[in-house]
Amino acid sequence: MLRNYLKIAFRNLWKHKVFSFINIMGLTVGMSACFLIFLYVNFELSYDAFNTKADRIYRLVTDIKTPSETINAGITSWAFAPNIKSDFPEVEAFTRVSSGSFLVRKGDIKFQEEKTLFADSTLFQVFDFKLIKGDPKTALKEQLSIVFTEKAAKKYFGDADPIGQTLLLSGEGLPAKVTGVMKDIPENSQIKGDMILSMTTMTQRFNKGLDDQWGNFGATTYLLLTPGATKTALESKFPAFLERRAGKTMKESQMYYKLFLEPLRDVYLKSTRDAEESGSMNNVYVFSVVAIFILLIACINFVNLTTARSVERAKEVGIRKVVGAPKMLVARQFISESILLCLIAFVFAVVLSTALIPLFNNLSGKIISTGILDNLPFVAGMFVAAVIIGIVAGIYPALVLSSFEPVVVLKGRFTTSVKGILLRKSLVTIQFAISIALIIATIVVYIQMDFMRNRDLGFSKDQMMIVNSQGDPKKDAFKQSLADLTGVKSTATSSSVPGSGNPGAYSEIENKSGDLQIANLDLYFVDFDYIPQFGLKMAAGRPFSRDFGTDTTQAMVMNEAAVKLFGYSSPEEAIGRRFKQWGREGKIVGVVKDFHFRSLQETIKPLTMRIEPRGSELVSIKIDGGNIKETVAAVEQKWKTVMPNRPFSYYFMDEFFDRQYRSEERFEKLFFNFAILAIFISCLGLLGLASYSTMQRTKEIGVRKVMGASTGSIVGLLSKDFLKLVLIAFVIASPIAYYGMYRWLENFAYKTDIYWWIFAVAAFLSAAIAFATVSFQSIRAALMNPVKSLRSE
């Protein structure tokens, strides 16, 4: 029986090649899109899942309340973790992580290791980072101990054993010993680094006494709780712990802390605080919905085309029933054909997805997968899904076809039912409602990204070259050496540039009432040339000037957001007010207009600037746009002359700042491509239905042409029914798309409006796409010789 089913199924597929091709193509593209989206969603949801103790690992985070604001920080004080471990038996272990950058030298080999981490010796106890060489218990115990990833170790040692080898760190040439080599950190880990340096190097050598500093924040802290310990119970004990341990510090600084625990698996997708790496749960939801929509459209195509062709198979069903075939047996035949078609599409989808994975990895910016066949459980699951799709998509057509009355169909009186026609029209409407919603969403996403790329940021970032001197004492000599280069317009040094990180400083600023108000303010260390170099505009007062000798020690410039924080109604009121910050006291000499020193996803925060040559490691170079390559080469030559022991590396400000929007840009590209696929599948279904509708009305078209109907009137006749459905779909899709994109835009502090013309463009595009699809068949039918269509009458 099964063999007979398969034989008939193949015959029918081969007999109706066009419809079979459209069905298989639609399902193949739909399944391929779902496969790829599933890989993406599964990858995003799998962050940190490789850690066997992930259910017991929590990130310790802090709310810092000052008289001015509450800061929701993803970091903690350096002293928190060691004291929590000693006070609470529920904590099995802790590890702190902090990022850094180091110049690493081995003979003539030198690299600037940008992905450097400081970590406690318990890192390998808390996380499942596997050491290939070295002892995980002691590898990060001693000062100046280094653990490399496999990839990083090969740069310095090739195939030689690196354990026990000595490298030189930073410009001082600190001797550091390699104590371990670990497997490369998995792509789905929020903690990433190529070189891990022992935390004791930070807390006992670079900054002695750091473990006892309750008010110094900078560590990302993870706690491993004992089996049975609960997050809620431990959090309830933190207030008493802070009062006992840090009460005096909090009262003196007027900064009060609250501690919370975030489950490790929630940090990447769900945390609203800063993290080493973060994703978006909203994007996961969006792509999951898009995957369902694409598959739904493909299934709708199948149902529509199969039921539309029911007339052609009516007599087959009638004959089967006359010779004794029960209704269930007939239904089983058609469901088996549906499953077969889905399985054929599944095989093609696996092949297509495998071919597209490298491109998909490139679009997503991550190595999500190296191949579908690498994950056999996933392939098996998709196989089962294909069978289920075949059954679900084939049930309705099977029930319709198996319910035909043999007496009626064998007399030739069978016609497509009104219910069948209504169902097909409803399904086409749903298809195009989804497609129109995706068109609207794609336009809104593009406009928002364009808005972010082209918004006036309040500073100049074009032709700005940034070089990191890593605090080398020859930095000033290098800067001065650039003055005679014809391609260099100006130079400046600073601790930060827009788009990069910067410290928050405990500050006391005189407010409108004359009192010193405590706040934690963002801080830039700059030189005299920084403000004009970046084109920052003064709202009041003056920029730093060499004409004032006290500017190096007693002057501060702040932005307009800081002025508002301290209660001033105008920038002018803040000029001359007192400040205390990190051991410095003086007066505010100027206020710069607000500029976006962080992503447009954040509101502009209060910012302060001070002259501090020792903390200004970044050299920004404004260059002539006419001869960029020659100027960069000349700058590199000056670097090699002044600082020959450091590798030369640079980046341009505009590219660097735009890196903040990489995840949004990837979302835009992925969303656009999947929207195009959904529209393509919808058009395939519409093409199939138009072909069938045209075929059913061939004789009608012939009669109309004989009676003098023009080609245009026939095309309009065949197209108008489908265009009506598109109009209905637009009415349904518009409010849904508006609501969805309104919610998506809420993630941005600065966002575009959802303009009325977006819906007009979407309506026009959807109508044009539908008309182009339908008219292909309509024009072909209208141009056909009526003699051929009427010959059999």
Side-chain angles (χ1 to χ4, degrees):
M1 184 65 72
L2 179 61
R3 182 180 177 184
N4 184 56
Y5 284 164
L6 292 175
K7 186 183 293 185
I8 295 172
F10 275 115
R11 282 177 183 172
N12 278 300
L13 291 176
W14 185 252
K15 182 180 179 181
H16 305 283
K17 299 182 188 68
V18 174
F19 288 99
S20 298
F21 173 78
I22 290 174
N23 258 333
I24 292 173
M25 174 67 76
L27 285 173
T28 297
V29 174
M31 287 183 184
S32 298
C34 281
F35 289 173
L36 294 174
I37 292 175
F38 177 85
L39 287 174
Y40 172 82
V41 169
N42 185 60
F43 180 83
E44 292 292 284
L45 294 175
S46 72
Y47 258 74
D48 299 305
F50 64 88
N51 294 289
T52 56
K53 304 169 188 170
D55 60 327
R56 294 195 285 127
I57 302 174
Y58 294 84
R59 183 173 73 151
L60 186 69
V61 297
T62 320
D63 279 358
I64 307 169
K65 184 174 178 57
T66 74
S68 303
E69 76 269 279
T70 297
I71 303 163
N72 305 120
I75 56 177
T76 67
S77 160
W78 295 93
F80 285 173
N83 287 282
I84 285 175
K85 173 65 176 72
S86 65
D87 282 19
F88 299 107
E90 301 98 312
V91 178
E92 183 177 313
F94 75 88
T95 189
R96 294 166 297 179
V97 177
S98 179
S99 58
S101 174
F102 274 93
L103 171 66
V104 182
R105 288 179 287 158
K106 178 181 179 291
D108 294 332
I109 301 173
K110 53 189 176 184
F111 291 100
Q112 188 70 40
E113 291 293 348
E114 299 291 349
K115 295 181 180 179
T116 298
L117 296 176
F118 289 96
D120 285 298
S121 60
T122 50
L123 177 73
F124 303 108
Q125 181 183 349
V126 176
F127 296 101
D128 287 4
F129 299 137
K130 304 297 183 183
L131 277 187
I132 301 169
K133 296 180 179 180
D135 184 349
K137 294 181 180 178
T138 60
L140 291 173
K141 194 169 186 179
E142 302 298 327
Q143 294 181 36
L144 295 172
S145 295
I146 294 178
V147 171
F148 278 120
T149 60
E150 280 184 284
K151 181 181 177 181
K154 284 186 179 295
K155 290 194 302 185
Y156 299 98
F157 306 102
D159 295 327
D161 186 359
I163 300 299
Q165 298 281 348
T166 299
L167 299 171
L168 301 179
L169 299 183
S170 74
E172 303 173 36
L174 298 172
K177 186 168 70 173
V178 180
T179 54
V181 177
M182 61 186 285
K183 286 186 177 181
D184 292 337
I185 295 177
E187 186 78 19
N188 58 345
S189 171
Q190 60 173 304
I191 299 174
K192 286 188 172 70
D194 294 326
M195 182 178 87
I196 302 176
L197 198 57
S198 57
M199 184 61 76
T200 51
T201 308
M202 167 77 82
T203 60
Q204 297 177 20
R205 187 180 187 97
F206 294 158
N207 197 336
K208 292 182 179 180
L210 199 59
D211 284 342
D212 299 319
Q213 294 181 14
W214 292 90
N216 191 339
F217 285 71
T220 302
T221 302
Y222 298 93
L223 303 181
L224 174 64
L225 304 191
T226 56
T230 64
K231 166 183 176 291
T232 306
L234 185 56
E235 280 181 335
S236 66
K237 299 178 182 180
F238 284 153
F241 162 79
L242 288 171
E243 182 62 33
R244 182 173 67 253
R245 290 281 195 169
K248 183 179 178 182
T249 301
M250 291 191 291
K251 289 175 183 176
E252 289 176 351
S253 64
Q254 294 186 47
M255 298 176 71
Y256 295 90
Y257 316 138
K258 284 186 178 181
L259 295 178
F260 303 93
L261 295 173
E262 290 183 336
L264 178 67
R265 294 294 308 279
D266 289 351
V267 173
Y268 176 73
L269 284 176
K270 298 180 181 179
S271 179
T272 57
R273 303 167 189 260
D274 294 335
E276 294 290 327
E277 186 176 0
S278 60
S280 169
M281 197 66 195
N282 283 336
N283 288 357
V284 169
Y285 290 142
V286 167
F287 283 123
S288 298
V289 170
V290 169
I292 293 170
F293 280 170
I294 289 175
L295 199 56
L296 178 61
I297 290 172
C299 291
I300 286 173
N301 278 356
F302 181 85
V303 172
N304 262 344
L305 293 176
T306 307
T307 53
R309 284 183 49 234
S310 60
V311 176
E312 295 179 28
R313 303 193 67 178
K315 289 186 178 180
E316 174 192 341
V317 174
I319 292 171
R320 283 176 178 274
K321 286 194 169 185
V322 166
V323 298
K327 182 177 179 180
M328 187 55 65
L329 194 65
V330 175
R332 200 178 300 162
Q333 164 69 42
F334 292 114
I335 289 176
S336 66
E337 289 184 19
S338 172
I339 294 173
L340 175 64
L341 192 144
C342 284
L343 291 179
I344 292 172
F346 167 76
V347 173
F348 287 144
V350 169
V351 174
L352 181 60
S353 300
T354 303
L356 290 176
I357 278 177
L359 176 62
F360 187 67
N361 286 338
N362 185 52
L363 281 174
S364 63
K366 300 175 181 179
I367 307 300
I368 288 174
S369 175
T370 55
I372 283 187
L373 296 179
D374 293 342
N375 192 338
L376 290 179
F378 169 73
V379 175
M382 290 299 99
F383 176 83
V384 173
V387 174
I388 293 172
I389 290 169
I391 294 171
V392 172
I395 281 178
Y396 178 77
L399 292 176
V400 170
L401 291 167
S402 63
S403 64
F404 291 161
E405 292 296 332
V407 174
V408 176
V409 297
L410 291 178
K411 283 184 178 181
R413 297 176 184 171
F414 177 80
T415 56
T416 304
S417 68
V418 175
K419 289 183 179 178
I421 295 172
L422 182 61
L423 173 69
R424 287 194 292 278
K425 288 185 176 181
S426 300
L427 292 177
V428 168
T429 303
I430 292 171
Q431 271 189 322
F432 265 87
I434 294 171
S435 298
I436 291 167
L438 290 175
I439 290 172
I440 294 170
T442 302
I443 295 172
V444 173
V445 169
Y446 174 81
I447 292 173
Q448 174 62 21
M449 292 309 303
D450 187 65
F451 170 81
M452 294 170 70
R453 283 187 287 259
N454 297 303
R455 180 179 169 85
D456 182 9
L457 299 172
F459 69 92
S460 173
K461 61 184 175 71
D462 296 328
Q463 281 82 53
M464 191 79 74
M465 181 180 174
I466 310 296
V467 181
N468 192 342
S469 71
Q470 285 293 310
D472 195 295
K474 298 178 182 177
K475 168 198 63 182
D476 292 329
F478 167 68
K479 179 189 171 186
Q480 292 169 9
S481 72
L482 301 176
D484 60 349
L485 294 181
T486 54
V488 174
K489 293 182 176 180
S490 61
T491 58
T493 60
S494 61
S495 61
S496 304
V497 293
S500 68
N502 58 270
Y506 179 81
S507 311
E508 296 177 68
I509 308 289
E510 184 180 352
N511 60 25
K512 191 173 183 179
S513 302
D515 301 320
L516 287 176
Q517 182 176 324
I518 294 170
N520 191 73
L521 302 177
D522 286 310
L523 172 63
Y524 273 20
F525 290 138
V526 301
D527 67 1
F528 291 103
D529 303 310
Y530 186 86
I531 291 176
Q533 169 90 348
F534 280 86
L536 303 183
K537 307 298 183 185
M538 299 304 299
R542 61 174 177 83
F544 297 113
S545 173
R546 293 182 177 87
D547 296 334
F548 297 87
T550 56
D551 275 9
T552 56
T553 56
Q554 299 175 23
M556 173 183 283
V557 171
M558 61 171 53
N559 67 354
E560 292 173 303
V563 169
K564 293 174 184 174
L565 179 67
F566 295 103
Y568 298 112
S569 56
S570 68
E572 289 78 11
E573 292 182 37
I575 304 302
R577 300 288 182 161
R578 296 171 294 149
F579 79 85
K580 291 182 181 180
Q581 187 183 69
W582 278 4
R584 289 281 180 91
E585 295 185 29
K587 293 185 178 181
I588 298 165
V589 298
V591 176
V592 294
K593 289 187 175 181
D594 282 339
F595 65 97
H596 292 278
F597 61 97
R598 292 188 181 175
S599 164
L600 288 173
Q601 288 176 306
E602 302 180 42
T603 56
I604 297 175
K605 296 184 177 180
L607 175 69
T608 57
M609 298 181 183
R610 283 185 9 217
I611 298 288
E612 182 59 74
R614 288 180 301 174
S616 303
E617 300 180 341
L618 301 180
V619 181
S620 53
I621 307 162
K622 187 80 170 178
I623 64 176
D624 191 334
N627 298 292
I628 294 178
K629 287 186 178 179
E630 293 82 353
T631 304
V632 170
V635 170
E636 181 177 6
Q637 189 56 47
K638 291 289 186 182
W639 177 276
K640 290 179 178 178
T641 301
V642 178
M643 292 187 278
N645 291 327
R646 286 189 175 275
F648 177 74
S649 63
Y650 68 93
Y651 55 84
F652 281 97
M653 185 68 235
D654 53 351
E655 296 175 356
F656 177 77
F657 190 84
D658 289 344
R659 284 179 196 171
Q660 299 176 103
Y661 309 125
R662 275 184 179 174
S663 62
E664 285 76 23
E665 288 174 348
R666 288 166 185 158
F667 174 83
E668 177 190 21
K669 290 177 182 178
L670 287 173
F671 193 90
F672 174 78
N673 282 280
F674 286 123
I676 292 295
L677 285 179
I679 295 166
F680 171 73
I681 298 170
S682 294
C683 290
L684 274 180
L686 194 60
L687 178 64
L689 280 178
S691 299
Y692 182 78
S693 176
T694 302
M695 184 177 67
Q696 290 291 93
R697 302 177 72 176
T698 300
K699 290 183 175 62
E700 176 193 343
I701 293 168
V703 171
R704 288 179 179 273
K705 291 200 71 175
V706 169
M707 298 298 291
S710 66
T711 300
S713 65
I714 292 174
V715 171
L717 174 71
L718 296 173
S719 302
K720 67 179 182 180
D721 287 342
F722 290 106
L723 293 178
K724 286 178 184 176
L725 299 181
V726 172
L727 178 61
I728 296 170
F730 173 76
V731 173
I732 295 171
S734 295
I736 296 172
Y738 178 88
Y739 175 76
M741 297 319 296
Y742 179 83
R743 292 296 302 271
W744 182 74
L745 287 171
E746 286 181 339
N747 295 315
F748 300 89
Y750 301 92
K751 53 185 177 287
T752 184
D753 293 323
I754 303 178
Y755 304 102
W756 67 266
W757 58 261
I758 295 174
F759 297 90
V761 170
F764 174 78
L765 286 175
S766 56
I769 292 168
F771 181 76
T773 304
V774 174
S775 63
F776 174 78
Q777 286 296 328
S778 302
I779 294 171
R780 184 180 174 187
L783 294 175
M784 186 183 296
N785 189 340
V787 174
K788 292 182 180 180
S789 59
L790 297 175
R791 183 179 298 163
S792 60
E793 289 296 308

